Amino acid sequence: MNILNIHGYKGTPHNAAYSALRSVEKNIISPEIDYDTEQPDAILNRLSDICADKNIDIIVGTSLGGFYASLISDKIHKPLLLVNPCLQPQQVIPAYGYKGDVDWFVKMSAAFDTLNMERVRCIIGGKDEIIGDHSFTKKLIGNTHITVIPDGMHSGATLELDKHLPEMLKTVF
């Protein structure tokens, strides 16, 4: 199985999701993304190219990486695992130093209307200090496909990913 792992804003390729996935799968492609210097459409194109070149079977996205993962999943019809996804980055990332144009995110979020929620699983922290209560995520995905870790925060390290991601992998195949 080939898994594309997309880290979040100011995150690293070897994030908590990567570590949890490595316990069950060895073929994980986890590119480094500098969200501040790369244009959003260039990031999306690069990630789409990786999916085609590496024959990706499943996409995992953390925080802002979840936004991109959702767009790609919709485009190539692959299963999607989200970790504290930032699905409305235009409302969140400017407060954390993002200086780019957020209009692109608004325009691209229209793709969520066609995202097949049967292929989506999500894990969120009940005490996420960055995204908040994830009301948009819950409305979009539906509570049946979301696992809430009551004391979990935004960091994947607080979400018991070693336990939950392997289980989620089983439910999307």
Side-chain angles (χ1 to χ4, degrees), residues 13-85:
H14 295 118
N15 59 3
Y18 177 87
S19 297
L21 292 166
R22 291 286 294 175
S23 69
V24 293
E25 179 59 47
K26 300 302 178 209
N27 199 17
I28 302 164
I29 296 87
S30 193
E32 185 166 358
I33 302 168
D34 185 339
Y35 293 105
D36 287 318
T37 61
E38 292 183 64
Q39 293 298 313
D41 55 341
I43 293 169
L44 184 62
N45 290 336
R46 180 163 65 103
L47 294 170
S48 295
D49 289 346
I50 289 170
C51 287
D53 293 345
K54 302 293 186 182
N55 196 24
I56 296 298
D57 298 302
I58 191 163
I59 305 164
V60 177
T62 299
S63 193
L64 180 57
F67 182 87
Y68 287 94
S70 298
L71 296 177
I72 295 166
S73 173
D74 179 60
K75 182 177 170 182
I76 66 173
H77 310 290
K78 296 292 182 178
L80 173 63
L81 299 181
L82 297 171
V83 178
N84 275 333

Side-chain angles (χ1 to χ4, degrees), residues 84-86 124-125 128 131-139 154:
N84 275 333
C86 181
I124 60 175
D128 187 330
I131 308 299
D133 67 0
H134 286 274
S135 58
F136 180 79
T137 301
K138 291 174 183 174
K139 182 179 176 186
H154 192 69

